Amino acid sequence: MSPTDLTTSPETDAETSSLERTILRYSVPDHALDAEDIPWVEYVEGVHYKPFRFDVVNSSFILLLKIDTAGVVNRHQHTGQVKGYTIRGEWHYPERTWRATPGTFVFEAPGDVHTLVCDSGDGMLTLFDIQGTLRFLDDDDQVVAEHDVFFFLDQYLAHCERAGITPVDLVY
């Protein structure tokens, strides 16, 4: 049986299992995106992101983070886990001893507090899978701003509107 047969009328096909019907009915369809169709959005001065997914149900998002020459994402705490993979350049957290270079995979546990710094002058490009909220902290550990999936989605949509670009639907 071909996948096309499963999507046309699984309820009437005796060969289709209950599990297959359930998956077809309730799962999110596959997505394949061309990154060239998605614009870079300025996050803060010198720091841009290209979003690939906004999962508003689970409060998570996937994006490429790019710093052109040098830049900082101020001290913040994550409420969920973060996974990152460095594609080019170098960056680090002053609160840690390691430096991320091309090929470095980073895992951050919920509650982690750090400041992302790219000071090499060559910039960086890293793919991040972020769950939860970024809570930006002042020197007394007081929350001064919170950026969650809706913040990034709103920023992306506003950027597209200002630029006269039809946004790619990245909510899935």
Side-chain angles (χ1 to χ4, degrees):
M1 176 184 307
S2 74
T4 305
D5 295 332
L6 289 177
T7 59
T8 53
S9 59
E11 303 82 18
T12 60
D13 190 335
E15 293 181 38
T16 304
S17 74
S18 172
L19 176 60
E20 290 171 315
R21 288 192 302 275
T22 300
I23 291 169
L24 288 169
R25 181 171 181 187
Y26 293 104
S27 69
V28 175
D30 294 352
H31 284 73
L33 303 169
D34 184 344
E36 295 301 317
D37 294 337
I38 303 168
W40 287 103
V41 179
E42 185 175 52
Y43 183 43
V44 296
E45 186 177 342
V47 180
H48 295 80
Y49 68 91
K50 184 178 287 233
F52 293 131
R53 182 177 189 210
F54 297 112
D55 181 349
V56 298
V57 173
N58 294 299
S59 188
S60 67
F61 46 101
I62 299 171
L63 52 79
L64 273 176
L65 188 73
K66 176 177 74 168
I67 299 177
D68 290 323
T69 55
V72 173
V73 176
N74 290 334
R75 189 167 166 267
H76 59 278
Q77 176 185 51
H78 292 280
T79 62
Q81 68 178 347
V82 175
K83 296 167 279 230
Y85 180 78
T86 305
I87 298 167
R88 72 170 166 77
E90 185 175 308
W91 59 275
H92 69 281
Y93 299 143
E95 301 87 354
R96 306 290 184 273
T97 58
W98 52 263
R99 294 183 80 83
T101 58
T104 301
F105 174 80
V106 175
F107 171 79
E108 303 166 14
D112 195 41
V113 176
H114 50 256
T115 308
L116 190 155
V117 176
C118 176
D119 54 11
S120 68
D122 296 325
M124 64 81 104
L125 183 67
T126 301
L127 179 68
F128 283 107
D129 181 349
I130 302 168
Q131 296 180 353
T133 301
L134 285 79
R135 292 181 176 156
F136 288 88
L137 306 172
D138 65 14
D139 292 337
D140 297 319
D141 290 332
Q142 298 301 306
V143 176
V144 295
E146 293 188 328
H147 296 175
D148 63 4
V149 65
F150 292 103
F151 172 89
F152 285 92
L153 174 58
D154 182 64
Q155 200 177 43
Y156 165 68
L157 294 173
H159 171 82
C160 289
E161 185 175 334
R162 281 191 308 276
I165 300 168
T166 301
V168 176
D169 183 5
L170 301 173
V171 178
Y172 59 92

